[in-house]
Amino acid sequence: MNWRGNLLRFCNVAGLPILEPFVRLAAGEDKREQLVGIAKFILLPIAAVCVFLGLWAAAASSVVTDSAKLPSPQATWSAGKQLIAMHYEQREADKAAKQEKLVEAVQLLAEANAYTAAASKATGEKKSKLEDKSLALKKRAVAAANFVPSSAPTFIDQIWTSVKTVFFGFFLATIVAVPIGVLCGMSPWFNAAMTPFIQIFKPVSPLAWLPLAFIVIMWYYAGYSSGETFFDKAFLISASTVCLCSLWPTLVNTTLGVASVDKDFINVADVLRLSWWQRLTKIILPASLPLMFAGMRISLGVGWMVLIAADMLAQNPGLGKFVWDEFQNGSDLTYARIAFSVLVIGLIGLLLDRIMIFFRNLVSFGNPSPV
Amino acid sequence: MPITSPGFCLDPATAPFVSPNSDHRGTSRDGIASTTHATVSAWFACLFVAVFALLTAGCSDSGVSLEDLEKAAAKIDVSEIEIDTETDDATQMLDLEKSDLTFGFIKLTDCAPLVVAKEKGYFDDEGLNVTLESQSNWKILLDNVINGQLDGAHMLAGQPIGATIGVGTKTSIVTAYSLDYNGNGITVSNDIWAQMQENDPALKSPTPKHPISADSLKPIVEKYLQDAGEPFPMGMVFPVSTHNYEIRYWLAASGIHPGMYTESDIKGFTDAQVKLSTVPPPQMPQNLEADIVKGYCVGEPWNQKAVVTGIGVPVTTNYDIWKNNPEKVFGVTKGWAEKNPQTHLAVIKALIRAGKWLDATDDSGKLVNRMEAVEMLSRKDYVGAEKEVIANSMTGTFVFQKTDVREMPDFNVFFKHEASYPHYSDAIWFLTQMRRWGQITEPKPASWYAETAKEIYQPAIYREAAEMLISEGKLDPNEIPAPDYDGYREVSTDFIDGNKYDAKDPIGYINSFEIGNKDDEALAKQ
């Protein structure tokens, strides 16, 4: 049965082995074995989560200090619902404000046109006064038409900002790390030259880089105010911090992947008299891809972790800032909202990991590993 | 090209990032060159497309072109519009250089004028579209104003002064609007309060007499220094904060030495009997609870938080240390102010209206708008604390202990007593304290104090904005200082130590203190 094979391969490549028993069950394979699989991979985790929730609820009722209290699962859930509802309310309000401004812009422009018309009939000083007024009205009309709501970013906006930042930082890291990694793997001389940098900078917490990244970006953007540049400064600072910590796993794994290409492949290349470029693209890169992607997966995970901390430290927009702002708020809802964002951060991290597993398995030619 | 064995740092056994499951040697040999090459390029392409899609999505905005506007405008009946040739239109819009602005603030109740100006639409009335962004601490706030991320911010009054004369970061920052007077308190832990009561039985009352001086704290500090061999730990929020000068003033008024700043000691611990460390405001109660500090000076709601949670006792407010002392200002960089003069004026206009709204009272003198302000401030994107906690101080009472709730109508003053006007004498007070405690390392002549104050405080802008509001009928002329006012508040002795402050004699004032730097009298004449 072909659909069965396809589905199983999909489960495998997508890194979703927990769906496998269902596919096999649907295909009519041994029921008992599949039910055991379901119990093990689905029912047991659900039970474990229930136990965890129970313990959490119990802890929430006892962990109470003078100034704060651990939020219960219910409080966390309702805080989350509220945060999401707030996002949609804000969106509606912003939309209404934008609409209102647009109507105002049209009105102002109509007025400006009326003044222009009047000016064309007038003469002398009166004419220039009317023209000035018309110009002023037009300027206001344009400002009103280009109105951007100035409401604070909502929880969902912050998630979106963080995801964009982590991908951009990761993307930068990848385009730097892969070529260097390939060169390191191919040339022992280049590797020797790079080794001190890799050895020294790899263990540095990217947060320590933050102030230095800050200086470089400020220098680059000196003289521009916010909104004048293509990238936001805060965005670039966060992204470069992510980039600096995402570099190393990809770099090291790429080097390792390239350096350990099967000798037989190389011999084949020698026999075929492949050029340097052909050797690189036909043999070395394809053979080292699984390891490269394994490195990129770790990179993305580390990048996501660090991004939250960097946002907290530098107050750049994103989930980290959301958590920090809530921490500073000090109301009853604070800790429930933080607990909810912790869960969301975890879930997004999981999702990012799955995406990279999917990519890695795609290039692993029949040897996908499920985890 | 030969492929060599990996370098020592890349040995599979030691490489930390290798996933144990990725069996790179198991790569199948057949078809490696043909199939993978295509797959790889395809997937790389997909990845890049995904990244770019992510980056560009969300940036797109439904742009409205001028043509669309013109078309819509053409449909509007303009015959009703009166053509007004006179330009002295009462609510004439300023010719703004920049209309989208971002201001920073710290989560404290005294950012209220900014919040009110935005929420009540005063910024909007001036054609300003303002975003308010909370900042995690004073240092980051200042850095963001300097590097242009923020157009302006809610600042500690000492920050523009410190930045301009180079205490910490050096950049010229100016202010044309004082956000408020008063609003801070000094809190000590329950244990220290009990010891203070031991030392002064008069304090052992449900409603002890105020103001409470640091006299009863003195023996505790001395004993701690002797027993522990290190200064008594207390907290303040920033080296150039009002809080730092207030707690130093309070301690020194009772003969406790809070330590001197020197050229090499920028923490200010030299000769200290009390070690004042910098702690961000929201962390104060936790630090007190963890016994890292034994007392602190901070703005609201963090003193009331200590009372509500029962971890400490506020002993005094800054109103008792100096009646109507300057607290926060609205600061922008000098460069920004020069580049955007009309915008600056529009901002100040909106802020003056906000201050006036905050301090509006009914006939019986009751503050009428404060509950509405409390509601705004309690929203999660502003101060975010519970309404009850914010309301405690914002509505004119202050809770010292659960038994000792006092009416303090002037606990937070935003507009009354000309509180929003940038008085030169307020700037000079900060300069005298910076010199007293050694942050200004060199002695300066009296004229330097006056000139520096004039460089930072810009009452001319305030006055221009106020006059515009008066002509628009939104402000009464007697609500701002008279046109011939020179910017110096009256000589005052409203201090906890009864010392006399005359801003025109800064050297004499610095020399009048027992503890602190002393300068040559001859400098007073220069």
Side-chain angles (χ1 to χ4, degrees):
Chain A
M1 273 196 285
N2 204 20
W3 61 267
R4 175 186 160 275
N6 282 341
L7 274 178
L8 283 179
R9 193 168 331 135
F10 171 78
C11 291
N12 229 347
V13 171
L16 296 167
I18 57 164
L19 297 182
E20 242 188 72
F22 291 100
V23 176
R24 289 186 194 274
L25 203 60
E29 286 183 35
D30 178 30
K31 279 204 179 107
R32 206 185 138 71
E33 195 184 318
Q34 304 318 321
L35 287 176
V36 168
I38 290 173
K40 185 171 159 196
F41 288 115
I42 295 171
L43 297 182
L44 192 62
I46 289 177
V49 168
C50 289
V51 170
F52 169 74
L53 286 176
L55 288 175
W56 177 6
S61 55
S62 51
V63 180
V64 180
T65 70
D66 284 339
S67 51
K69 162 178 187 309
L70 192 73
S72 66
Q74 298 96 307
T76 306
W77 178 243
S78 57
K81 277 200 296 196
Q82 197 193 15
L83 281 176
I84 290 163
M86 276 163 105
H87 169 76
Y88 289 105
E89 279 164 29
Q90 189 68 63
R91 272 292 135 85
E92 284 304 308
D94 286 351
K95 225 164 133 186
K98 218 168 150 62
Q99 193 57 40
E100 198 181 302
K101 280 279 174 187
L102 207 57
V103 172
E104 192 189 317
V106 170
Q107 188 71 36
L108 284 168
L109 199 65
E111 242 175 273
N113 289 343
Y115 272 94
T116 318
S120 65
K121 286 179 205 135
T123 50
E125 200 187 329
K126 198 175 169 194
K127 184 182 168 91
S128 70
K129 259 188 184 172
L130 286 170
E131 272 171 353
D132 284 352
K133 179 91 185 176
S134 163
L135 210 63
L137 284 169
K138 261 192 190 146
K139 209 174 152 188
R140 279 172 58 189
V142 170
N146 289 320
F147 172 79
V148 182
S150 58
S151 52
T154 64
F155 184 59
I156 298 194
D157 294 337
Q158 301 285 36
I159 293 181
W160 187 233
T161 313
S162 285
V163 170
K164 271 199 287 193
T165 317
V166 82
F167 269 107
F168 187 70
F170 169 70
F171 173 71
L172 283 183
T174 306
I175 57 176
V176 173
V178 168
I180 297 181
V182 169
L183 287 175
C184 278
M186 288 172 76
S187 153
W189 287 89
F190 190 77
N191 192 18
M194 293 305 289
T195 299
F197 299 104
I198 299 173
Q199 295 275 320
I200 291 173
F201 293 139
K202 198 178 66 183
V204 176
S205 163
L207 295 180
W209 284 111
L210 194 71
L212 298 177
F214 191 82
I215 295 175
V216 174
I217 285 158
M218 284 310 147
W219 160 77
Y220 188 72
Y221 275 157
Y224 294 99
S225 58
S226 61
E228 280 177 0
T229 48
F230 182 70
F231 287 118
D232 203 34
K233 287 177 207 171
F235 173 79
L236 270 193
I237 292 167
S238 288
S240 54
T241 310
V242 170
C243 171
L244 282 167
C245 69
S246 301
L247 275 179
W248 314 112
T250 308
L251 180 56
V252 171
N253 272 21
T254 305
T255 310
L256 183 65
V258 171
S260 51
V261 172
D262 200 321
K263 283 281 179 296
D264 291 349
F265 295 169
I266 307 301
N267 293 339
V268 170
D270 286 342
V271 170
L272 293 176
R273 295 174 177 275
L274 293 182
S275 69
W276 184 83
W277 180 249
Q278 281 174 319
R279 198 191 278 268
L280 179 72
T281 54
K282 305 264 183 223
I283 296 187
I284 293 173
L285 277 185
S288 55
L289 270 178
L291 256 185
M292 212 186 277
F293 271 86
M296 282 159 72
R297 173 191 167 200
I298 302 164
S299 283
L300 192 60
V302 174
W304 179 245
M305 242 170 15
V306 164
L307 174 70
I308 305 297
D311 284 349
M312 274 174 124
L313 206 67
Q315 288 289 287
N316 292 334
L319 279 170
K321 180 170 164 65
F322 177 85
V323 170
W324 191 253
D325 274 356
E326 281 304 329
F327 177 53
Q328 305 252 17
N329 279 354
S331 86
D332 272 349
L333 272 169
T334 301
Y335 291 95
R337 284 185 182 145
I338 293 176
F340 184 74
S341 23
V342 165
L343 292 179
V344 169
I345 292 168
L347 284 173
I348 294 173
L350 173 77
L351 201 71
L352 295 179
D353 200 44
R354 291 285 121 175
I355 292 172
M356 288 315 291
I357 287 183
F358 174 69
F359 278 118
R360 194 200 58 196
N361 287 349
L362 270 180
V363 296
S364 291
F365 329 112
N367 287 313
S369 43
V371 181
Chain B
M1 170 177 268
I3 302 292
T4 57
S5 63
F8 68 97
C9 60
L10 302 170
D11 187 81
T14 54
F17 293 126
V18 182
S19 159
N21 289 312
S22 54
D23 185 5
H24 52 281
R25 283 177 201 280
T27 310
S28 77
R29 283 179 205 186
D30 34 47
I32 186 168
S34 57
T35 57
T36 52
H37 187 56
T39 337
V40 174
S41 343
W43 285 112
F44 261 113
C46 282
L47 183 65
F48 290 177
V49 168
V51 168
F52 278 115
L54 266 172
L55 289 174
T56 48
C59 306
S60 67
D61 214 328
S62 57
V64 179
S65 70
L66 197 61
E67 286 83 59
D68 297 338
L69 276 186
E70 289 280 9
K71 251 183 247 165
K75 289 187 197 133
I76 287 191
D77 179 23
V78 290
S79 56
E80 299 281 305
I81 296 170
E82 266 180 55
I83 302 295
D84 177 16
T85 50
E86 301 308 315
T87 43
D88 55 346
D89 187 347
T91 49
Q92 203 200 355
M93 283 274 185
L94 288 158
D95 190 14
L96 303 175
E97 295 86 0
K98 191 174 180 193
S99 58
D100 292 329
L101 302 174
T102 310
F103 294 150
F105 69 98
I106 296 282
K107 289 175 176 280
L108 290 165
T109 53
D110 50 22
C111 68
L114 286 166
V115 173
V116 167
K118 179 175 162 78
E119 293 295 322
K120 296 294 284 180
Y122 298 152
F123 282 135
D124 215 31
D125 289 350
E126 303 298 330
L128 297 168
N129 181 27
V130 173
T131 310
L132 294 180
E133 255 180 32
S134 69
Q135 309 290 309
S136 65
N137 62 53
W138 293 113
K139 167 92 174 98
I140 281 179
L141 176 135
L142 186 62
D143 285 347
N144 281 342
V145 170
I146 292 170
N147 69 40
Q149 286 276 93
L150 299 171
D151 292 288
H154 161 230
M155 284 185 187
L156 293 160
Q159 275 187 312
I161 301 168
T164 303
I165 64 172
V167 178
T169 321
K170 183 162 169 51
T171 309
S172 279
I173 294 192
V174 298
T175 177
Y177 187 87
S178 157
L179 288 169
D180 69 323
Y181 277 172
N182 311 324
N184 300 332
I186 296 176
T187 296
V188 296
S189 69
N190 292 332
D191 176 39
I192 298 299
W193 176 242
Q195 292 183 43
M196 284 171 77
Q197 285 178 321
E198 290 292 314
N199 294 338
D200 182 2
L203 296 177
K204 264 192 196 162
S205 139
T207 51
K209 190 171 169 291
H210 286 267
I212 296 171
S213 74
D215 290 348
S216 52
L217 185 67
K218 199 174 182 214
I220 304 169
V221 169
E222 279 163 358
K223 188 167 180 302
Y224 187 91
L225 190 61
Q226 208 160 37
D227 292 352
E230 57 177 59
F232 186 75
M234 293 184 92
M236 50 85 188
V237 304
F238 197 69
V240 297
S241 66
T242 332
H243 316 79
N244 186 20
Y245 305 126
E246 280 161 6
I247 194 165
R248 280 166 183 273
Y249 202 105
W250 183 68
L251 293 167
S254 296
I256 303 171
H257 200 306
M260 297 292 293
Y261 291 88
T262 65
E263 216 151 340
S264 56
D265 179 9
I266 54 166
K267 289 186 161 168
F269 295 162
T270 304
D271 298 335
Q273 285 179 296
V274 169
K275 190 174 85 184
L276 290 165
S277 44
T278 307
V279 182
Q283 270 91 290
M284 286 287 188
Q286 281 154 339
N287 271 259
L288 190 71
E289 205 176 350
D291 208 26
I292 298 166
V293 296
K294 297 189 178 290
Y296 56 72
C297 179
V298 75
E300 277 314 295
W302 307 111
N303 293 293
Q304 291 302 304
K305 187 90 186 172
V307 184
V308 171
T309 54
I311 56 173
V313 179
V315 283
T316 188
T317 66
N318 58 343
Y319 184 76
D320 286 334
I321 297 170
W322 174 18
K323 288 188 180 40
N324 295 327
N325 68 323
E327 173 56 32
K328 302 281 173 6
V329 296
F330 172 75
V332 298
T333 61
K334 198 175 181 191
W336 188 92
E338 278 163 3
K339 207 173 138 199
N340 307 290
Q342 300 288 308
T343 311
H344 196 188
L345 210 52
V347 173
I348 303 301
K349 275 176 78 182
L351 287 177
I352 293 175
R353 287 179 69 195
K356 184 180 166 172
W357 182 86
L358 274 162
D359 274 8
T361 51
D362 60 12
D363 293 335
S364 64
K366 199 173 153 288
L367 293 160
V368 286
N369 292 327
R370 289 291 178 93
M371 267 329 279
E372 195 181 333
V374 166
E375 192 280 318
M376 287 176 203
L377 288 171
S378 68
R379 293 181 201 164
K380 93 172 175 49
D381 295 318
Y382 299 133
V383 180
E386 281 107 353
K387 276 184 211 167
E388 302 76 54
V389 178
I390 296 176
N392 259 356
S393 62
M394 280 287 281
T395 51
T397 53
F398 192 80
V399 185
F400 286 92
Q401 297 172 65
K402 287 184 178 139
T403 53
D404 188 10
V405 182
R406 280 168 194 261
E407 288 289 316
M408 289 199 75
D410 285 352
F411 183 80
N412 260 134
V413 179
F414 294 98
F415 191 70
K416 209 164 54 170
H417 311 307
E418 294 163 358
S420 62
Y421 187 91
H423 304 274
Y424 293 135
S425 54
D426 290 350
I428 293 172
W429 187 79
F430 285 99
L431 290 168
T432 62
Q433 298 304 304
M434 287 175 189
R435 175 63 196 137
R436 179 185 179 188
W437 300 117
Q439 284 174 326
I440 298 172
T441 47
E442 299 297 319
K444 304 276 185 188
S447 56
W448 178 85
Y449 288 86
E451 281 157 19
T452 308
K454 283 205 168 77
E455 197 186 322
I456 302 161
Y457 275 46
Q458 312 264 316
I461 297 172
Y462 182 96
R463 187 167 292 281
E464 195 180 345
E467 305 255 299
M468 292 175 85
L469 287 172
I470 291 169
S471 72
E472 288 168 22
K474 288 168 186 154
L475 197 68
D476 201 79
N478 62 27
E479 286 174 314
I480 62 163
D484 61 348
Y485 177 60
D486 63 356
Y488 286 80
R489 284 160 77 190
E490 276 173 30
V491 175
S492 164
T493 54
D494 272 343
F495 291 85
I496 196 163
D497 54 1
N499 220 341
K500 188 178 92 176
Y501 172 53
D502 178 2
K504 289 184 173 151
D505 180 19
I507 308 296
Y509 184 61
I510 293 167
N511 290 346
S512 70
F513 297 112
E514 300 236 330
I515 300 177
N517 275 330
K518 300 273 185 294
D519 282 345
D520 189 352
E521 287 294 341
L523 290 169
K525 304 274 179 327
Q526 289 175 26

